[in-house]
Amino acid sequence: MCGIIGIASNKSVSMNIINSLKKLEYRGYDSAGLATLNNNEINEKKCSGRVEQLEKILFKTSAEGNLGIGHVRWATHGVPNTINAHPHSTEIVSVVHNGIIENSNDLKKQLELKGLKFKSQTDTEVITLLLTNELKTHQPFDAVHKTLKQLKGSFALGIIFKNFKDIIIGARRGSPLAVGYSKDENYLGSDSYALKTMTNKISYLDDGDICVLTKDNVSFYDVKKNKINKEVFILSDDKNVSDKGDYKNFMSKEIFEQPITAKNCIHEYVDKIRDDINFYNFPIKPQSINKIVLVGCGTAYHSCLVAKYWFEAFTSLNVETDIASEFRYRNVRFNKNNLYLFVSQSGETADTAAALDLCKKNGIKTCSIVNVVESSIARNSDWVLPIHAGPEIGVASTKAFIGQMLVIYMLCLKIADLRGDMKKKDYQKKISNIKKLPELLERCLKVEDKIQLIAKDFLDSKGSMFLGRGSSFPIALEGALKLKELSYLHAEGYPAGEMKHGPLALIENGLPVIVIAPHDKYFHKTVSNMQEVIARGGKILLITDSNENIVNENIRFKIDLPLVEESLSPFLFTIPLQLLAYHVALLKKCDIDKPRNLAKSVTVE
Ligand code: F6R
């Protein structure tokens, strides 16, 4: 998704803008650009492709100036090319934008009637030309205010003006925007992470806010132009965040970090002295909860699906799960006694954020399970449960998935305990088992060598299927998602029991079928489904923790995992599937950390 940077300083800013744009690369993008103010003139540089390309342009042509804005663009309106890249400038104003202007076609017609000419196919250029028009009669702040009133849709903006060598104006509606403070320098950024190398002091704009930055000062205004104060947050220090260490890429680092991140998360929530889980300040008394509603997108949604099995197993509660982009447009019957849980690694996913807003508008208290605690979703929630996974840089979510499941699992146990749905001794037994999880994950990672060999067999396959029952079904979905997004191979996740209802027709000689079969109550049924696949020529990779002897020479590969209690198997079985997707993608020489067409933080719907 698009990312914005703005720097007001007493020294040249272009290289710091480039460095900060590199921090925003994780969001996924297809073009980059910046504009500085030099001798009161706007100096714009942009290109399609990577920030490195922009950097090369700067080496050749330089962009001096102590004030500037930068952007990485993820195309929505108009193809990814240099003209459509941001900033969008006229002689007197330059704009970077994240979001979508929904009434851009109408505004464009009005502006063209006034004789203004468009260069790009973007919705953003409408903002530039509206401002150009307003600046004929207004000073920058009022011109911005008047322009914003005409816009429908979502935006985070960074704007600089010819002849105003001191100011950057930022504005937010819908899309997130942060401000950073330092000595003789102030910053604007799409997220705090992009600013982290320059400062750890951050404030966040709320919807409707405008900010005016100079190198020495930042002023904030609400939608009615009243001056407002903002809380300053001091960010925690994430050492080694952008360091891959000895790993080939961030994804492998993040896969192998999972035992540690799980341990950190357990440390945060489990009281080892009392064998209890610390969750306080529930927005609804657990005894009064009517239903659990879990909402997320992609991998985060898969953790919601796993949660359904846990809540139904351990509590007497009904559970509903929904994909955020569906939830936000359904006629949901809101109920103040339902506990609404929004799950998101980035905390910026537009659909999840909108689903949460919808709850708030309906007077519902919300809870979010996030990795980025400074995120919009976290700040908009009544109750935030961080997963403590540390920054996840690889676009494909790995350690965040384990972290999301872990927090939800602990929350489920706590609710079961507080409601009296679970016997105390069972509750405490489960807590002592959670404490063993990091070591068990460590053991699962040891299957890497075997997976590396298996991965070769996937290279020539037309597609693959992932099968599981019970809580292994969402794990099958997650395994298939990881394989498709990383290796661009077609993969389907299915409940094993559903095969006869259609998907069995896909099975032909040599089709790889990954069977996820923990030794749980579904085990023998899953094995029967596997036999049906074998009978039709499917090439089986069986992943199991069962030591039952399943004799079948047609099982091409078998991965053995440590045997654990049934409810913990989703954690363990995730690991070989992550490794499989990773190694297939590596053999196919795919861009592991930045798969094509994808963004780390999906801030537009
Ligand atoms: C898949 C993946 C995505 C995200 C989804 C939601 O590997 O990373 O499916 O899970 O875009 O993102 P968050 O969790 O940031 O809301």
Side-chain angles (χ1 to χ4, degrees):
M1 286 315 101
C2 304
I4 289 176
I5 288 295
I7 307 180
S9 177
N10 61 357
K11 54 180 192 286
S12 176
V13 292
S14 54
M15 278 334 285
N16 275 349
I17 292 180
I18 293 283
N19 291 337
S20 304
L21 289 180
K22 285 183 182 166
K23 293 271 159 206
L24 287 171
E25 285 188 312
Y26 77 91
R27 299 160 81 97
Y29 69 104
D30 39 53
S31 47
L34 60 75
T36 55
L37 204 68
N38 194 16
N39 295 328
N40 279 327
E41 296 290 335
I42 291 167
N43 181 11
E44 180 194 277
K45 310 273 176 204
K46 53 191 191 179
C47 62
S48 62
R50 299 271 161 195
V51 177
E52 283 82 14
Q53 242 139 315
L54 182 65
E55 197 172 8
K56 280 187 194 145
I57 296 177
L58 285 192
F59 285 140
K60 281 192 203 141
T61 58
S62 95
E64 283 312 307
N66 295 354
L67 188 85
I69 48 178
H71 191 265
V72 279
R73 172 172 188 251
W74 189 78
T76 57
H77 287 56
V79 294
N81 63 18
T82 304
I83 293 181
N84 289 335
H86 297 213
H88 288 281
S89 316
T90 58
E91 205 188 311
I92 58 169
V93 66
S94 184
V95 178
V96 287
H97 167 218
N98 179 15
I100 293 177
I101 305 303
E102 285 165 2
N103 57 342
S104 61
N105 284 343
D106 295 344
L107 291 169
K108 194 169 175 180
K109 280 185 202 137
Q110 291 167 24
L111 287 160
E112 281 172 338
L113 284 177
K114 288 184 185 157
L116 289 145
K117 296 248 177 312
F118 284 81
K119 292 181 274 192
S120 75
Q121 303 160 307
T122 64
D123 51 341
T124 305
E125 202 179 357
V126 159
I127 309 175
T128 309
L129 294 193
L130 283 172
L131 280 165
T132 305
N133 199 37
E134 295 295 345
L135 283 163
K136 288 180 190 155
T137 44
H138 295 95
Q139 291 292 304
F141 183 79
D142 285 330
V144 170
H145 192 254
K146 286 209 169 291
T147 298
L148 299 189
K149 278 199 190 155
Q150 300 172 63
L151 304 179
K152 291 202 179 116
S154 62
F155 53 79
L157 298 172
I159 312 165
I160 58 171
F161 308 83
K162 177 182 166 137
N163 293 332
F164 291 86
K165 65 176 170 54
D166 290 334
I167 60 165
I168 302 179
I169 296 190
R172 174 195 166 158
R173 192 195 296 160
S175 307
L177 197 60
V179 158
Y181 312 86
S182 170
K183 193 171 173 307
D184 300 327
E185 248 179 31
N186 289 310
Y187 317 98
L188 207 55
S190 288
D191 61 24
S192 59
Y193 178 58
L195 306 181
K196 238 175 169 176
T197 49
M198 301 183 285
T199 182
N200 66 347
K201 284 198 205 115
I202 302 283
S203 294
Y204 298 96
L205 272 76
D206 290 307
D207 262 11
D209 290 350
I210 302 179
C211 64
V212 181
L213 268 80
T214 68
K215 67 178 173 48
D216 310 306
N217 185 44
V218 184
S219 311
F220 295 94
Y221 302 87
D222 67 11
V223 78
K224 293 188 181 138
K225 297 202 277 187
N226 298 314
K227 208 161 179 190
I228 48 175
N229 291 323
K230 286 276 161 195
E231 196 176 340
V232 179
F233 296 87
I234 307 294
L235 301 177
S236 55
D237 187 19
D238 290 311
K239 291 207 176 62
N240 307 326
V241 167
S242 45
D243 182 5
K244 291 196 281 262
D246 292 338
Y247 291 95
K248 278 200 177 82
N249 43 49
F250 281 106
M251 187 187 175
S252 54
K253 178 180 178 230
E254 286 156 8
I255 290 175
F256 280 86
E257 261 171 15
Q258 292 178 114
I260 297 170
T261 55
K263 198 180 208 162
N264 290 346
C265 185
I266 293 164
H267 273 149
E268 292 287 337
Y269 291 106
V270 171
D271 182 332
K272 282 172 223 66
I273 311 290
R274 291 181 298 123
D275 260 347
D276 197 1
I277 300 171
N278 296 324
F279 284 117
Y280 302 108
N281 306 325
F282 279 81
I284 316 173
K285 268 174 68 183
Q287 293 77 354
S288 325
I289 298 175
N290 175 50
K291 184 166 53 169
I292 303 282
V293 182
L294 295 119
V295 181
C297 301
T299 290
Y301 171 65
H302 294 158
S303 69
C304 300
L305 288 178
V306 177
K308 186 176 167 75
Y309 292 89
W310 286 328
F311 275 105
E312 286 178 353
F314 300 150
T315 74
S316 51
L317 288 162
N318 286 321
V319 190
E320 208 178 286
T321 54
D322 217 333
I323 293 176
S325 55
E326 292 298 315
F327 180 90
R328 66 183 287 195
Y329 294 116
R330 277 175 42 218
N331 278 335
V332 171
R333 312 279 181 268
F334 288 103
N335 181 327
K336 289 202 163 117
N337 287 327
N338 291 350
L339 180 62
Y340 292 85
L341 300 167
F342 294 87
V343 186
S344 174
Q345 186 286 128
S346 63
E348 302 295 354
T349 301
D351 284 318
T352 313
L356 184 139
D357 278 349
L358 188 66
C359 277
K360 286 181 86 88
K361 283 188 187 120
N362 282 277
I364 299 293
K365 289 247 164 61
T366 52
C367 166
S368 63
I369 294 168
V370 292
N371 194 25
V372 183
V373 282
E374 304 96 1
S375 62
S376 311
I377 289 177
R379 283 180 292 111
N380 278 341
S381 310
D382 297 292
W383 199 42
V384 183
L385 305 178
I387 62 168
H388 301 285
E392 191 179 63
I393 310 289
V395 163
S397 195
T398 50
K399 61 178 181 170
F401 181 58
I402 294 288
Q404 288 158 356
M405 289 199 293
L406 193 49
V407 169
I408 297 172
Y409 184 72
M410 292 189 284
L411 179 64
C412 172
L413 294 182
K414 183 73 184 181
I415 291 176
D417 176 51
L418 292 173
R419 288 171 61 88
D421 287 338
M422 184 180 269
K423 288 192 190 118
K424 205 56 157 189
K425 74 169 186 1
D426 292 341
Y427 174 66
Q428 288 183 332
K429 174 87 186 115
K430 290 217 165 358
I431 294 174
S432 64
N433 284 343
I434 292 176
K435 290 192 246 165
K436 296 180 196 144
L437 192 60
E439 193 260 320
L440 288 164
L441 294 176
E442 198 78 68
R443 282 170 59 194
C444 292
L445 286 165
K446 300 231 157 53
V447 304
E448 186 180 28
D449 289 350
K450 203 161 176 190
I451 292 277
Q452 229 165 332
L453 298 176
I454 297 171
K456 288 190 190 132
D457 251 57
F458 276 72
L459 290 182
D460 300 322
S461 66
K462 276 203 292 192
S464 58
M465 301 205 66
F466 290 69
L467 306 180
R469 280 176 174 250
S471 60
S472 298
F473 159 51
I475 298 305
L477 291 178
E478 177 59 9
L481 176 63
K482 286 285 98 86
L483 189 66
K484 32 187 166 197
E485 67 180 325
L486 286 166
S487 69
Y488 320 142
L489 285 175
H490 186 78
E492 290 280 355
Y494 259 100
E498 186 66 9
M499 288 298 282
K500 288 193 197 72
H501 302 285
L504 206 51
L506 290 171
I507 306 297
E508 55 184 25
N509 238 354
L511 184 90
V513 179
I514 296 90
V515 179
I516 303 155
H519 201 260
D520 55 15
K521 65 177 179 202
Y522 305 97
F523 179 70
H524 292 106
K525 292 200 179 297
T526 309
V527 169
S528 301
N529 295 134
M530 180 180 79
Q531 304 297 1
E532 289 156 7
V533 170
I534 290 174
R536 285 155 185 87
K539 183 166 71 180
I540 299 290
L541 161 56
L542 173 66
I543 307 177
T544 186
D545 57 10
S546 169
N547 28 24
E548 268 189 45
N549 204 6
I550 313 156
V551 187
N552 195 326
E553 69 278 12
N554 290 322
I555 295 174
R556 177 73 168 254
F557 303 109
K558 187 163 170 265
I559 294 282
D560 293 298
L561 297 180
L563 180 63
V564 282
E565 74 155 288
E566 188 174 326
S567 62
L568 289 181
S569 65
F571 297 99
L572 275 61
F573 281 70
T574 297
I575 304 283
L577 301 181
Q578 293 172 341
L579 288 168
L580 178 68
Y582 172 76
H583 280 289
V584 175
L586 200 63
L587 289 172
K588 285 194 75 199
K589 301 197 169 29
C590 297
D591 190 346
I592 303 249
D593 284 337
K594 296 184 205 115
R596 70 183 181 202
N597 305 339
L598 298 179
K600 182 67 185 161
S601 181
V602 185
T603 56
V604 289
E605 75 169 294

